[in-house]
Amino acid sequence: MIWLSHMKTTIDIADRLLRDAKREAAQRGTTLKEVVETALRNHLEGAKPAAFTLRDGSVDGRGVQPGVEEGDWEAIRALVYEGHGA
């Protein structure tokens, strides 16, 4: 990604994090700005949500029970709650 314009801004960063970032910049022989921009860019690029895939929840059933018509929700509901007082 190419960034064409620059904007000055002020942000509050924890002292220890700022010291670590400055140390990292010195070790790399680059600027604090470059370290912060690179870290922010990497974070934002990695923050894109992955495509959602629904897990296969299939079961090896044999359909509805004998005497229950498929789509007969009243009968299915009665069987589900049978013995549960509802």
Side-chain angles (χ1 to χ4, degrees):
M1 181 175 290
I2 298 174
W3 301 90
L4 300 175
S5 64
H6 299 282
M7 183 184 309
K8 287 189 178 225
T9 189
T10 302
I11 58 173
D12 289 322
I13 299 176
D15 291 343
R16 182 174 178 186
L17 182 58
L18 181 58
R19 281 192 306 270
D20 291 347
K22 286 180 177 181
R23 185 179 313 113
E24 180 72 17
Q27 289 172 350
R28 291 185 187 184
T30 189
T31 63
L32 174 62
K33 175 186 171 187
E34 181 61 31
V35 168
V36 171
E37 284 184 351
T38 299
L40 183 58
R41 191 175 299 113
N42 289 342
H43 174 76
L44 293 175
E45 287 173 358
K48 292 179 177 56
F52 177 76
T53 303
L54 183 64
R55 73 172 182 83
D56 184 357
S58 301
V59 295
D60 292 331
R62 290 181 226 107
V64 295
Q65 293 183 6
V68 177
E69 295 291 323
E70 189 168 339
D72 182 358
W73 295 111
E74 291 300 320
I76 294 169
R77 187 178 299 111
L79 287 169
V80 168
Y81 289 104
E82 189 174 280
H84 296 285

